[in-house]
Structure formats: structure tokens, C-alpha cells
Amino acid sequence: MRQGTAERGLFLIPLPRRAGPAPLSPQTSPFFPPPFSAQSGNRLAVIPSRRYGCSHLVATHAKSAVAFASAHPDAAAPPGGGDLAGHHAVRYLSLPDAAFIRFLTGHTAPVTSLALHPANDTLLSASRDDSVRLWDLRSPVCSGRMAVPGAPTVAADRQGLVFAVGVAGGVVKLFDSRQY
């Protein structure tokens, strides 16, 4: 497919390479198209997360809320020392008013994955701090913590009966969700 042309509903836009630490984003570059709703065709609002960045976004059971992890490249070195946990927090955000509902703090290194239980407000987070944490989105307190080797990753099955934790060495461990 040629760049800058539309074929089969996909539109590719050529992006110039940019030197320096700041990546291109919808706020810093005219080369990113504004977001549009696939259903209505209406232009959507952009909610910037400039201070800590955004990674591993998951839709929650609340109709207009999402959870995401920090992705700021300087998150490991907070200004003035400070607490690293806030820099590696999972953020629970209300989309209509762009206000944070809750900060889920406890990880001391970047979050590597998030998984939401399909039937309730239980969220799993995995981090490079060699831990997997279990959260209830209705509370800022961690419900459970599991120490695991390496940079883990997490996933939940469609029925919510099992969750998986991928650990160092390519090992995947399965857990019964009803036990946690």
C-alpha cells in the first residue's frame, strides 16, 4: 500500500523521523490525524497525560472509565527524590471529565501489563519490580501481591475463572481466580 493513500479502510500517513528525546504525539505534531469515532464519524477529544505518559490502557466495566499505567521515560527518577510508587502507579481515569478516580500505587518499577477480570472490577498489574498485584478498582489498596521472577506479564480468561502470569524463562503459571 502506498503511504498517504486509503485502501480497504486503512489510511497510512508518512511520519518524518525526529531527532531528540521527545516522541511525536497528537499534541506536538501536525502529522498525527485527530481521533475520530469509528461508529459516528465525530471527532473525539484528546486527553493528554503529559506528566507520566500512558501505557497498557484497559477499558473498565464503568462505561466511561479506563485504567492505564505510567509510561514516562523519567519515571524512575522523580524530581527531588520522592516516592517512586507514584511514578509507577496504575491510574483509574474518568473520561468525561478527565479526572482521576483513583491512583493504585505500590509498584516500584514500570508496569509491564494490565488485565481486567471480565466479570468484576478486579485488575491485575505486573511490573518490572518482580511482582504481580491484584487490585479492586473500588479501593486504592492492593488486595494481593505475588512475587515472581523477571518482568512478568498477566492475562485473564474470558470467563474470569483463571488468570495467567508469564514469568522469566518463558514459563506461564495459571491461577484459579476464585482463590484470590
Side-chain angles (χ1 to χ4, degrees), residues 30-64:
F31 296 103
F32 278 85
F36 284 89
S37 166
Q39 276 185 319
S40 67
N42 295 332
R43 186 175 178 162
L44 302 173
V46 174
I47 301 172
S49 181
R50 292 185 182 111
R51 184 169 183 186
Y52 295 111
C54 174
S55 71
H56 308 293
L57 181 80
V58 293
T60 63
H61 298 294
K63 186 175 181 179
S64 57

Side-chain angles (χ1 to χ4, degrees), residues 10 20 24 28-29 38-39 47 54 63 74 77 80 87 89 91 99 109 115 117 125 131 137 143 146 158:
L10 180 64
L24 292 172
T28 62
S29 172
Q39 276 185 319
I47 301 172
C54 174
K63 186 175 181 179
D74 298 329
H87 286 263
R91 288 156 166 73
H117 189 282
S125 62
S131 73
L137 288 177
S143 304
M146 190 182 306
R158 288 183 163 187

Side-chain angles (χ1 to χ4, degrees), residues 1 3 17 21 44-45 47 49 51 53 56 69 78 84 103 107 113 162-163 167:
M1 175 189 295
Q3 289 184 338
R17 293 187 181 262
L44 302 173
I47 301 172
S49 181
R51 184 169 183 186
H56 308 293
L84 286 178
F103 294 94
H107 286 297
S113 69
V162 175
F163 67 90
V167 296

